[in-house]
Amino acid sequence: MSIACCCPILECVYCLACTRWAWKKCLYTAGHESEHWGLATVEEFEPVPRLCRLILAVYEDDLRNPLWAPPGGYGIDPDWVILRKNDQETQERAPPYMIYLDHSNADIVLAVRGLNLAKESDYAVLLDNKLGQAKFDGGYVHNGLFKAAEWVFDAECELLRELLEKNPSYTLTFAGHSLGAGWWLCWCMSLNLAVRYADVINSVVLQDDFLPRSTTALEVLFKLLFCLPCLLCLMCLKDTCIMEEKKLKDPRRLYAPGRLYHIVERKPCRIGRFPPVVRTAVPVDGRFEHIVLSCNTTSDHAIIWIERESQRALDLMLEKDDRMQIPARQKMERKESLAREHTEEYKAALQRAAALDIPQAYSPSTYGTFHEMEEAEFSGRSGEGVSELSSKKRGESWNELVERLFEVDDESGQIVFKNSVA
């Protein structure tokens, strides 16, 4: 009798929770997440469209006769492509990628393709993970993506070192989209790592993109995609019943890492696309924690749209600079000032994470991220099949690469790229 009486009460509570969640979601838009962030500048955002085109070029079979080139082409010289590997050459342990020697921008780029919906091996990499399975540097990362990154680094470390020795003034950039960003940049990592590596990792998010907001384990997410009501029910229960403080302190929840660049091009209750605005910050709380109910959540994840809208945003920035007629010296001063502001914002984010009692978060080091990595003890990795980074060959290769790429800036005390600002 008592159980029967409780059933209507439970149904009412559940209906009220769902109504509250739906009401909040209908009023919640992606623009709210970054409305208090600063605006990105030309100097920091200029590489984004160019790197997007390099990632798109990995999809082509013949770069001299491209089939899917964006308007204006890829803007690359096929003779500068050093290496390309397809699924067979990577043994399906990583997505296809390309190493490009960009002489125009003095940059060595390793660009990685995104998820191929027709490849079972890509799904195998994504599903090779459970909450709390793979530990790294005091936090958690996606197990399958991390193993793929290890494989590619071991395969191409010698080539990258050789290119850097031949071009000592060039920078080294790793760029990827979706699965490609995940396996090299560890797109999914716990909050303490997402903030800690903001001085060397940048993440670009287009408006309502669902992936940066998917803190649910990927294997659960893919299973629930076959049952949309189940997915909505799970998100409803999580958003309603779990306190924000508890979410922040769960080290197994995975986030988009580094400094975030949010491209906003749509406004609530408005039809069509508006001139895109790029906002940037190193947030701790409010780091894309809620899925947005929008018909663009999947299309905003497409690299084609990210390239198109990032180029539009950059063109608007350049047009504004041309109208203002900013002198070259003032542009240089602005670039130096921007580097200092980013450093201060990064330190403030680390302090914010420590103040919120985020697990394994600590105040900034005088010497930057990589000094902490050398002194900190690696936490190891739980689960089977996760290889150790501490092997002699791998450790020596990584240390040599770090020594080649980075140095300590005398003025700020931060780790910076040699001959360029990180």
Side-chain angles (χ1 to χ4, degrees):
M1 181 67 180
S2 59
I3 297 178
C5 292
C6 289
C7 287
I9 298 176
L10 292 175
E11 290 177 359
C12 291
V13 171
Y14 179 75
C15 290
L16 288 174
C18 290
T19 303
R20 173 183 175 272
W21 176 82
W23 176 254
K24 289 178 62 178
K25 287 299 180 183
C26 289
L27 296 180
Y28 185 82
T29 62
H32 291 163
E33 297 165 317
S34 59
E35 60 184 347
H36 300 299
W37 297 5
L39 295 177
T41 63
V42 173
E43 290 78 11
E44 60 183 314
F45 196 71
E46 181 275 331
V48 173
R50 168 167 51 86
L51 294 174
C52 287
R53 287 189 286 271
L54 279 174
I55 297 169
L56 276 170
V58 181
Y59 289 88
E60 295 282 0
D61 294 326
D62 184 2
L63 289 176
R64 299 186 185 277
N65 300 287
L67 299 178
W68 305 290
Y74 293 112
I76 64 176
D77 187 341
D79 293 330
W80 294 352
V81 176
I82 305 300
L83 172 74
R84 294 191 69 184
K85 284 193 175 180
N86 55 30
D87 288 301
Q88 289 72 32
E89 292 169 319
T90 62
Q91 305 171 24
E92 297 188 343
R93 299 181 64 178
Y97 59 88
M98 173 179 69
I99 296 179
Y100 181 70
L101 189 58
D102 189 352
H103 294 292
S104 300
N105 297 280
D107 194 13
I108 302 168
V109 183
L110 195 157
V112 194
R113 191 209 67 193
L115 173 69
N116 185 346
L117 296 175
K119 294 295 296 184
E120 295 181 2
S121 58
D122 285 5
Y123 292 103
V125 172
L126 283 176
L127 299 180
D128 182 16
N129 185 62
K130 293 181 180 179
L131 287 178
Q133 181 178 359
K135 288 185 177 181
F136 172 74
D137 196 22
Y140 291 88
V141 295
H142 188 284
N143 184 53
L145 298 177
F146 188 68
K147 289 194 295 184
E150 287 185 306
W151 184 88
V152 175
F153 181 77
D154 286 342
E156 310 303 344
C157 180
E158 295 298 328
L159 176 58
L160 293 175
R161 182 191 293 111
E162 180 182 342
L163 292 173
L164 288 168
E165 290 175 351
K166 291 180 179 179
N167 305 276
S169 62
Y170 283 30
T171 55
L172 177 62
T173 302
F174 301 101
H177 166 253
S178 188
L179 179 64
W183 73 258
W184 187 254
L185 304 178
C186 285
W187 178 269
C188 300
M189 58 173 58
S190 53
L191 185 56
N192 63 321
L193 298 182
V195 176
R196 188 184 308 169
Y197 289 100
D199 57 340
V200 291
I201 297 178
N202 297 321
S203 297
V204 180
V205 179
L206 175 59
Q207 189 85 17
D208 301 333
D209 188 353
F210 74 95
L211 188 61
R213 300 172 172 87
S214 302
T215 53
T216 307
L218 285 175
E219 77 275 7
V220 176
L221 186 62
F222 269 87
K223 291 175 183 177
L224 290 175
L225 286 178
F226 294 100
C227 180
L228 184 59
C230 297
L231 176 62
L232 295 177
C233 178
L234 177 64
M235 294 300 162
C236 169
L237 293 175
K238 278 195 169 186
D239 283 0
T240 304
C241 303
I242 301 178
M243 301 294 292
E244 293 294 331
E245 293 79 5
K246 187 175 181 180
K247 294 179 184 178
L248 291 176
K249 294 182 180 180
D250 184 357
R252 302 171 305 165
R253 288 173 62 88
L254 305 181
Y255 295 82
R259 170 172 288 277
L260 301 180
Y261 290 88
H262 192 200
I263 305 174
V264 180
E265 56 172 358
R266 291 184 297 274
K267 299 180 181 180
C269 302
R270 303 286 184 89
I271 299 176
R273 297 175 183 267
F274 289 79
V277 175
V278 183
R279 303 168 183 162
T280 181
V282 185
V284 181
D285 41 345
R287 180 178 277 265
F288 295 129
E289 295 173 349
H290 302 283
I291 290 182
V292 179
L293 291 182
S294 166
C295 58
N296 302 103
T297 52
T298 54
S299 62
D300 283 350
H301 182 64
I303 183 64
I304 297 176
W305 279 108
I306 297 174
E307 186 275 333
R308 186 176 304 176
E309 296 306 317
S310 62
Q311 185 62 58
R312 284 184 61 204
L314 179 62
D315 291 340
L316 290 173
M317 294 180 193
L318 292 170
E319 182 182 341
K320 182 179 179 181
D321 277 9
D322 291 341
R323 289 200 306 266
M324 296 176 66
Q325 298 182 346
I326 302 176
R329 182 176 179 180
Q330 188 174 348
K331 288 184 178 180
M332 182 62 67
E333 293 176 352
R334 185 176 66 176
K335 187 175 182 179
E336 295 173 355
S337 174
L338 178 67
R340 290 193 297 269
E341 291 174 3
H342 279 191
T343 299
E344 294 302 319
E345 188 176 7
Y346 169 64
K347 291 180 179 179
L350 290 176
Q351 294 170 352
R352 173 67 174 166
L356 289 174
D357 199 23
I358 305 299
Q360 296 295 323
Y362 46 76
S363 297
S365 164
T366 306
Y367 300 100
T369 297
F370 286 95
H371 181 77
E372 292 291 347
M373 287 182 62
E374 292 174 4
E375 291 190 346
E377 293 183 359
F378 282 91
S379 302
R381 293 151 186 83
S382 58
E384 299 180 355
V386 183
S387 58
E388 292 291 326
L389 273 178
S390 58
S391 64
K392 183 176 180 181
K393 175 184 176 184
R394 194 172 304 170
E396 290 176 349
S397 298
W398 176 255
N399 291 335
E400 291 172 3
L401 183 62
V402 169
E403 184 178 355
R404 170 69 61 182
L405 293 178
F406 300 96
E407 62 185 357
V408 179
D409 183 65
D410 295 332
E411 180 179 351
S412 64
Q414 291 293 304
I415 295 292
V416 299
F417 282 106
K418 289 185 177 180
N419 301 305
S420 66
V421 179

